[in-house]
Amino acid sequence: MGKLKEIRFVYAGSGISISEEGDNDFTAHISKTRKISIKQGKQFTPENLHKIYQMADSGNMVFSNDSSLGYLVLNPLRKPTKEYINSLTDEVIQLSVETVDGKEYVCTRDGHVFSDSPNKFRDIPHISNPEDKKYMLTSYTKEYDGQTLYRIRALKDFGSVKAGELGGYVAGEHNLSQYGNSWIQTDSKVFNLAYVGDNAIVRKSIMYGNAKAIENCRIIHTTMYGDSVIKGFAISNNSYIYHKSVICGESRVSGHLAFEGIIKDKVFIKDPGARITGNGIEISDEVQISENVKIDGHAKIRGKSRIMGNSEITDYAEISGEAIIKDNVCVGGKSRIWDNVILCGDVKVSGRALIRENASLYDKVLVSDAVEICGEAKIKDNAIIAGCSIVRGYAKVSGDAIITDYAQITSHAQIRGHAQIKGNAQLTEFVCICENSRIEGNVVLSGDTIVKGNTHISTQEQANKVIKPCISKTSSNEITL
């Protein structure tokens, strides 16, 4: 028979480290999840190897400090048999009773020691379940909004819920499905005709009216009412969802009001200042909305558009593609913003305006009526674009310029200062109209032409006098914007 050797078990943060008499260092370890690892080449005596497996299978150690009761070093072995209900927060904590060195400790699932006296906590009741129900209504009740709500308790394991676990409050079994993995967690209330089904999870939220949470959605710190529906893999956090809102797909919604809207696919709405209060709104694809954005009316937003700042999208406006809208931009009417458009500053777009491709608008630009702005066009400062005018190509408009009626600004044309372009005027190539010049009527201006001062052109005859042949494909005689 071999010589007996002393064995040491020592707390090691992530579990228990082990050494045997004669070792220069620790030669084995038991993880918090009770997995054993032994240093390569090390051979414990049979007696000590048995003690190691016994410690992993049924033993434990308590790590404590002066400020608390401490923790079990290894995860608890036994299923929870006790529960603690916080009278202030209504939070429920399930507790296991573990024995260490002949002494009983009451601890949480992760090993936090609550007490050394199991009698301080009430037992989780053993309830028969002949109908194989998912949950039951308990005698724990709460008065809320003029009605009695009943706390639910799981009758069997499903999803991440364990048998005996307490959940939130319902008015009756019609509020939570007896099938699937759906669950109403602690401190949530679901009543009236509100319904939670499939695999939906509701946490710290209130649902009432005809609200529905179904499929794989997650409802967190949210108030839902009216005929609102959240489904798919959608997540709602710190939100108010009401009336006829529908949120679905893989959308992420946080801190906003949704009103008769549809939010789907991978929409991401964040920040507590965002407000969606429209009537028939549709938001889809991978849209991102943040900060203090306001959306109402029948607006449709899709693609990978990003809307931020204090921007407002109203009426029947449509935003799509990878458009960026920020600062204090206001888009309304039946205007359409497509592709890679950038709008920032105090830009206002209304009417039936169409802005697409790589166009960009900055500062206090005003766009209205049936305007089309496209290509690489850049508009900034206090410029006004109205009527049925078109600005496209690499055209640039700045200053207090006004373009209206059926005017067309194309190619590399530049309009700036207090210039006004009206009527059926067509400006192309490297034309530059600046200062107080006015171009109107059925006029065509092209080439490397500069019009400035107080010049007023209203006929083609007048235009021909200032037209110069284009001598450069890449630059104008005037400084570009």
Side-chain angles (χ1 to χ4, degrees), residues 9-306:
F9 296 95
V10 179
Y11 166 71
S14 60
I16 298 173
S17 289
I18 305 161
S19 64
E20 189 178 48
E21 183 181 342
D23 292 340
N24 294 324
D25 201 354
F26 294 112
T27 50
H29 183 78
I30 304 172
S31 70
K32 286 187 69 66
T33 57
R34 300 178 182 264
K35 181 180 179 181
I36 298 171
S37 56
I38 297 175
K39 188 175 181 180
Q40 189 174 5
K42 170 62 183 176
Q43 287 189 334
F44 286 90
T45 64
E47 293 82 4
N48 287 340
L49 190 61
H50 176 72
K51 290 178 182 178
I52 292 171
Y53 277 94
Q54 191 175 40
M55 174 66 82
D57 289 341
S58 60
N60 217 323
M61 296 172 61
V62 173
F63 168 72
S64 61
N65 53 45
D66 294 336
S67 61
S68 69
L69 288 170
Y71 293 83
L72 293 183
V73 176
L74 306 181
N75 288 345
L77 274 173
R78 297 173 180 82
K79 287 186 176 180
T81 57
K82 300 282 185 179
E83 64 188 10
Y84 165 72
I85 303 176
N86 187 313
S87 59
L88 295 177
T89 64
D90 241 5
E91 182 183 11
V92 178
I93 300 175
Q94 292 195 326
L95 303 167
S96 301
V97 179
E98 297 289 329
T99 302
V100 180
D101 293 334
K103 186 176 182 180
E104 289 185 326
Y105 292 88
V106 179
C107 57
T108 63
R109 291 177 186 270
D110 63 356
H112 174 68
V113 174
F114 250 50
S115 169
D116 56 3
S117 174
N119 296 329
K120 293 181 180 179
F121 305 94
R122 63 180 65 169
D123 291 327
I124 297 174
H126 296 283
I127 303 169
S128 62
N129 187 21
E131 298 179 25
D132 195 34
K133 286 189 172 184
K134 183 169 77 177
Y135 71 95
M136 61 170 284
L137 307 185
T138 69
S139 58
Y140 297 126
T141 62
K142 173 176 286 192
E143 296 299 316
Y144 187 83
D145 199 31
Q147 56 190 295
T148 301
L149 304 182
Y150 301 87
R151 190 156 218 164
I152 56 175
R153 187 188 293 277
L155 293 174
K156 59 182 179 180
D157 293 352
F158 58 92
S160 60
V161 179
K162 302 298 180 185
E165 186 173 326
L166 284 172
Y169 293 85
V170 298
E173 288 192 20
H174 63 281
N175 296 128
L176 174 65
S177 173
Q178 286 284 2
Y179 304 97
N181 294 324
S182 57
W183 187 241
I184 300 168
Q185 294 185 354
T186 299
D187 204 28
S188 289
K189 305 171 191 68
V190 181
F191 54 99
N192 295 148
L193 297 177
Y195 175 74
V196 180
D198 301 325
N199 298 309
I201 302 295
V202 178
R203 177 159 61 93
K204 295 186 177 180
S205 298
I206 298 173
M207 292 177 59
Y208 59 100
N210 293 306
K212 290 180 176 58
I214 54 177
E215 296 178 7
N216 297 293
C217 70
R218 298 290 181 268
I219 314 297
I220 308 162
H221 290 287
T222 290
T223 298
M224 284 185 69
Y225 55 100
D227 295 307
S228 56
V229 176
I230 300 183
K231 60 183 180 178
F233 288 88
I235 294 177
S236 173
N237 189 8
N238 293 316
S239 303
Y240 288 86
I241 314 297
Y242 60 99
H243 206 37
K244 295 183 179 179
S245 302
V246 177
I247 301 174
C248 53
E250 297 180 35
S251 300
R252 303 290 183 267
V253 181
S254 175
H256 80 287
L257 303 175
F259 185 75
E260 269 195 64
I262 296 177
I263 298 171
K264 60 184 180 179
D265 301 326
K266 296 183 179 180
V267 173
F268 183 30
I269 302 175
K270 61 181 181 178
D271 293 333
R275 292 290 181 268
I276 301 176
T277 56
N279 197 1
I281 291 169
E282 291 186 20
I283 305 175
S284 60
D285 299 329
E286 298 182 38
V287 169
Q288 293 188 28
I289 297 173
S290 60
E291 298 176 53
N292 297 307
V293 168
K294 292 180 175 60
I295 301 174
D296 63 22
H298 294 263
K300 291 178 174 56
I301 305 171
R302 56 178 72 94
K304 295 184 178 180
S305 305
R306 288 184 290 158

Side-chain angles (χ1 to χ4, degrees), residues 55 86 101 111 209 243 292 313 353 376 381 394 415 425 453 462:
M55 174 66 82
N86 187 313
D101 293 334
H243 206 37
N292 297 307
I313 313 298
E376 304 287 336
D381 300 330
Y394 289 85
I415 314 298
Q462 292 172 322

Side-chain angles (χ1 to χ4, degrees), residues 361 365-373 377-380 382-392 395-410 413-428 431-434 437-440 481:
L361 285 69
V365 169
L366 177 61
V367 177
S368 62
D369 303 327
V371 163
E372 180 177 349
I373 301 172
K378 289 181 172 53
I379 321 289
K380 68 174 189 175
N382 299 302
I384 296 174
I385 318 292
C388 296
S389 53
I390 296 173
V391 180
R392 63 173 178 243
K396 296 179 175 64
V397 182
S398 64
D400 296 307
I402 297 174
I403 300 171
T404 189
D405 299 334
Y406 293 88
Q408 294 188 33
I409 316 299
T410 64
Q414 296 187 35
I415 314 298
R416 57 199 200 204
H418 294 275
Q420 295 183 26
I421 316 297
K422 302 179 178 181
N424 293 309
Q426 296 182 38
L427 283 66
T428 186
V431 166
C432 177
I433 312 298
C434 56
S437 301
R438 284 187 298 144
I439 313 294
E440 56 188 337
L481 295 176

